[in-house]
Amino acid sequence: MDIFLIKALQFFLAIGLLVLLHEGGHFFFAKLFGIWVEKFYIFFDPSIWKWDGSIFKFPRSADKIEAGKTTVYGMGWLPLGGYCKIAGMIDESFDTEQMKQPAKPYEFRSKPAWQRLLVMVGGVLVNFLLALFIYSMILFYWGDTYLPVQNMTHGMKFSTEAKAFGFADGDILLSADGQPFKEYGADLFRSISEAHEVIVKRGDAEVAIALPGDLNLLNMIKSEPRFVAPLIPMSVDSVVAGSPAEAAGLRVGDRILSINGRAVADHNDFVFELGRITDVLSAAVTPADSLQALSARLVVARADSAATVDTLQAVLRADASGAVTLGFQNSALSRYEPVTISYGFFESFPAGIKYGWNVLAGYVDDMKYVFSADGAKSLGGFGTIGSLFPSVWDWYIFWKMTAFLSLILAFMNILPIPALDGGHVLFLLYEIITRRKPSEQFMIRAEYVGFGILVLLMVVANLNDILRWLGYM
């Protein structure tokens, strides 16, 4: 429960901050141009609390709206977003009665197209700039610490598909199409998927591997075992007290050679076999089935003698997530030397802008996979977003996740879908170019269509979360 509360608190804090500033962007430009903002809400109705905002009057030039036209500020209980209800605007409130009345000078529809355009892009602009600012401050405060793949002296472990292209276990990745790899992560997979040539270090020689340039990134990441992963030698660095490993007699320095008759060449193979056992356990029907799935036979090379090989019997244990564990630590990755790049205050801004832009470019490039069957299954709702936050409070990860979500919010909102900011921007650009305003009836119908699309996407994303939780995905 504590883990759930910590993740939930981080999620609500991040989403609340992003929604507040996003709607604040619309609010700022609306007030700047003297447009009446009827409501300013964080999250959706019904209200937890609200107050009349007549004491807030900004700027003075916008105060000359009719008497009584103040803004109601509040917070709803439903954390699906927020809204800034602007008078004289067709939005998700579907206030058609207001639109039947003659236009007032303080309404959105009475203002020039360029002012309305700034009001609509205000939220996206704030989220985009906020993300770049957060990334800059992260680099200024913490610097950029990463583990270069070139420093992973044990090299990489490759899947059968990767080996078919010419990769070999133990290869050290150097570059893709002439661009050096930085660290193991999504960018490395993306670079390989788009590369026509990858250079690896194999022994003392550099080897060029030809690739088609259009590998499916989603398959590379989701496949088990993965297309590429850091190769971790098989060794027992420590045994967890009270664990199945301790009960079975596993000792520090031992090497596991096989589990249930399946050979284990490295720690990667061992983790894969545990995943296989986890799948068998999840399909167990009776307690006897579960016990059989958890019973494991280990062949172990003892640390005290190269010639001593023992067979151990262990009863594995499933953790809270259902994953099977044995109970020992392998800290091979921690022996690699990370690199830290520090930035001064003014240096952090161009570095943060570059970092944020690369994150956004990668996210946009990956959007093409959403339209595939596997991509649709990968969509996640609030549960997926919340699970991305760590189970312990970590300000570094919190701010990094907040910046990433801010970029996503900016990009998703600027998509040209009616009911989103991008839909309004599209119609405003049409009006500016053609000097013809779309009819209010057309705008209302478009808003209904766009709202329906958004509801459908939200249902699919959150249904995926439920199916994952139930174990069907």
Side-chain angles (χ1 to χ4, degrees), residues 139-198:
L139 293 178
F140 170 65
Y141 188 81
W142 283 285
D144 185 13
T145 300
Y146 63 96
L147 181 58
V149 291
Q150 295 87 347
N151 290 4
M152 296 182 178
T153 52
H154 290 293
M156 294 287 168
K157 176 84 171 180
F158 295 91
S159 68
T160 302
E161 179 192 2
K163 290 176 180 176
F165 289 110
F167 291 104
D169 290 343
D171 285 350
I172 299 174
L173 294 170
L174 298 180
S175 66
D177 288 342
Q179 296 297 317
F181 292 111
K182 181 182 177 183
E183 60 184 324
Y184 180 78
D187 287 342
L188 180 141
F189 280 90
R190 189 177 297 110
S191 296
I192 294 176
S193 71
E194 298 172 352
H196 290 89
E197 184 183 71
V198 170

Side-chain angles (χ1 to χ4, degrees), residues 275-308:
R276 191 196 301 272
I277 295 172
T278 299
D279 292 339
V280 174
L281 179 64
S282 66
V285 177
T286 66
D289 293 337
S290 298
L291 180 60
Q292 183 178 359
L294 291 172
S295 299
R297 186 178 75 259
L298 307 174
V299 176
V300 176
R302 291 299 190 178
D304 52 11
S305 172
T308 303

Side-chain angles (χ1 to χ4, degrees), residues 450-464:
F451 191 75
I453 293 173
L454 295 182
V455 170
L456 178 62
L457 288 173
M458 189 175 296
V459 168
V460 170
N462 286 282
L463 180 60
N464 284 350

Side-chain angles (χ1 to χ4, degrees), residues 12-53:
F12 285 119
L13 180 59
I15 294 298
L17 175 65
L18 296 180
V19 170
L20 172 66
L21 295 177
H22 177 90
E23 299 303 334
H26 297 306
F27 180 89
F28 172 81
F29 283 108
K31 285 289 191 177
L32 185 66
F33 300 132
I35 302 172
W36 176 31
V37 178
E38 299 179 37
K39 288 184 177 181
F40 184 88
Y41 262 63
I42 304 300
F43 305 150
F44 292 151
D45 286 341
S47 305
I48 295 176
W49 49 261
K50 63 182 179 180
W51 75 93
D52 185 324

